[in-house]
């Protein structure tokens, strides 16, 4: 059985928290560049150029891409043949504490949702665990800013609402978000499962490489259709109008109950941050 040290997890989590906030993944950089080239609005093209320059400055000067360095959300795949020295949850939170402090990242977490006292180290993190075969520990961090998070939505549709109902939820959510979620967006959509799982599906969809398409033909077709419909809304970069309102629509699905059709839409601005480490 493979043993992973507590300190190795702390250091790895610290590193990916910092890197995720300083550098976008290559696929996101390419999406922004392609949007700038294709944008029909002069103002929209200027905004996209500024976003691209912001990425370059952040990387060169090693400063956060966005001042909102997010709540630290993790997707963890723990191999069945792995033994963790100490508490895995404790190690991840210590890694967040170290990364957000040493990386001079903004601490945005309050310890109680009503009393609103800042924890001053961006903990606790939100951690989703999956037990998988093998002897690896895979940790993905997705720092989530709340400008876009606040514009997200979960709806429990009836089965009779069907795919048209799903499309309406997505388009209504994007239209209501408008400039408030800092377009151009990446739109994560969850369909199926139940009340709590569908939201997790939508969040996890945001961590998928935007160049990777759904394995399911009907979902792949739906992703394409929704991306076209969203861009036809004309919200545009920074909400100032244009042909690029969304950079990608990623959909994840799960089996559901015969009486339900849960749909969640997790909005994300162009700073769609995620970083993975495998131990």
């Amino acid at each position: 059985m493979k043993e992973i040290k507590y300190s190795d997890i702390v250091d790895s989590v610290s590193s990916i928290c910092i890197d995720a906030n300083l550098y976008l993944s290559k696929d996101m950089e390419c999406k922004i560049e392609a949007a700038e080239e294709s944008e029909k609005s002069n103002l929209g093209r200027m905004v996209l150029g500024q976003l691209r320059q912001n990425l370059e400055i952040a990387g060169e000067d090693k400063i956060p891409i966005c001042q909102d360095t997010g709540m630290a959300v993790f997707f963890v795949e723990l191999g069945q043949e792995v033994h963790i020295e100490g508490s895995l949850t404790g190690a991840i939170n210590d890694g967040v504490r170290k990364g957000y402090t040493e990386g001079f990242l903004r601490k945005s977490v309050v310890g109680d949702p009503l009393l609103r006292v800042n924890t001053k180290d961006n903990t606790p993190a939100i951690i989703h665990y999956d037990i998988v075969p093998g002897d690896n520990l895979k940790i993905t961090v997705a720092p989530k800013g709340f400008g876009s998070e606040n514009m997200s939505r979960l709806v429990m549709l009836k089965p009779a609402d069907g795919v048209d109902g799903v499309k309406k939820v997505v388009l209504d959510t994007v239209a209501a978000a408008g400039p408030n979620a800092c377009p151009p967006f990446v739109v994560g959509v969850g369909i199926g499962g139940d009340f709590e799982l569908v939201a997790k599906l939508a969040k996890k969809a945001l961590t998928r490489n935007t160049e990777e398409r759904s394995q399911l033909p009907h979902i792949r077709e739906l992703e394409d259709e929704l991306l076209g419909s969203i861009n036809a809304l004309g919200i545009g970069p920074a909400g100032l109008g244009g042909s690029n309102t969304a950079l990608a629509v990623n959909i994840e699905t799960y089996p559901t109950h015969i009486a339900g059709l849960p749909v969640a839409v997790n909005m994300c601005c162009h700073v769609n941050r995620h970083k993975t480490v495998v131990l």
Side-chain angles (χ1 to χ4, degrees), residues 4-15 83-88 90-95 137 139 277 279:
I4 301 177
K5 293 182 179 179
Y6 188 97
S7 60
D8 289 343
I9 298 170
V10 172
D11 290 343
S12 296
V13 168
S14 172
S15 178
H83 177 259
I84 304 297
E85 176 191 85
S87 164
L88 178 53
I92 291 173
N93 278 310
D94 278 348
L137 172 63
I139 304 174
V277 64
L279 300 174

Side-chain angles (χ1 to χ4, degrees), residues 141-189:
V141 65
K144 192 65 167 68
F146 265 53
S148 57
E149 189 78 352
N150 285 339
M151 303 309 297
S152 301
R153 189 179 177 204
L154 191 159
V155 180
M156 301 299 290
L157 294 178
K158 299 179 180 65
D161 293 320
V163 69
D164 287 339
V166 172
K167 294 175 189 176
K168 187 175 188 306
V169 169
V170 175
L171 292 175
D172 286 353
T173 302
V174 173
N180 296 317
C182 303
F185 312 122
V186 176
V187 183
V189 180

Side-chain angles (χ1 to χ4, degrees), residues 65-244:
I65 304 165
C66 176
Q67 52 82 25
D68 184 351
T69 53
M71 192 166 192
V73 179
F74 289 87
F75 293 93
V76 179
E77 295 182 8
L78 176 61
Q80 292 174 318
E81 306 302 319
V82 174
H83 177 259
I84 304 297
E85 176 191 85
S87 164
L88 178 53
T89 298
I92 291 173
N93 278 310
D94 278 348
V96 171
R97 187 174 291 110
K98 180 181 179 185
Y100 273 76
T101 299
E102 295 183 358
F104 301 101
L105 306 175
R106 195 183 82 182
K107 289 81 174 175
S108 302
V109 175
V110 295
D112 184 283
L114 299 181
L115 299 180
R116 314 298 294 181
V117 178
N118 198 298
T119 63
K120 301 186 186 304
D121 59 11
N122 224 55
T123 67
I126 294 174
I127 310 171
H128 303 287
Y129 289 108
D130 283 313
I131 307 299
V132 299
D135 63 354
N136 288 326
L137 172 63
K138 181 179 179 182
I139 304 174
T140 298
V141 65
K144 192 65 167 68
F146 265 53
S148 57
E149 189 78 352
N150 285 339
M151 303 309 297
S152 301
R153 189 179 177 204
L154 191 159
V155 180
M156 301 299 290
L157 294 178
K158 299 179 180 65
D161 293 320
V163 69
D164 287 339
V166 172
K167 294 175 189 176
K168 187 175 188 306
V169 169
V170 175
L171 292 175
D172 286 353
T173 302
V174 173
N180 296 317
C182 303
F185 312 122
V186 176
V187 183
V189 180
I191 306 172
D194 63 356
F195 183 82
E196 80 274 5
L197 180 60
V198 74
K200 177 183 173 183
L201 291 173
K203 179 64 61 65
K204 192 171 184 180
L206 293 173
T207 68
R208 194 177 88 208
N209 187 308
T210 55
E211 300 295 339
E212 293 179 10
R213 312 304 311 288
S214 172
Q215 303 274 329
L216 304 172
H218 68 293
I219 298 301
R220 192 159 58 243
E221 182 180 329
L222 183 57
E223 288 175 339
D224 288 340
E225 181 181 345
L226 283 171
L227 181 59
S229 297
I230 289 169
N231 285 331
L233 293 173
I235 295 169
L240 298 174
S243 52
N244 285 278

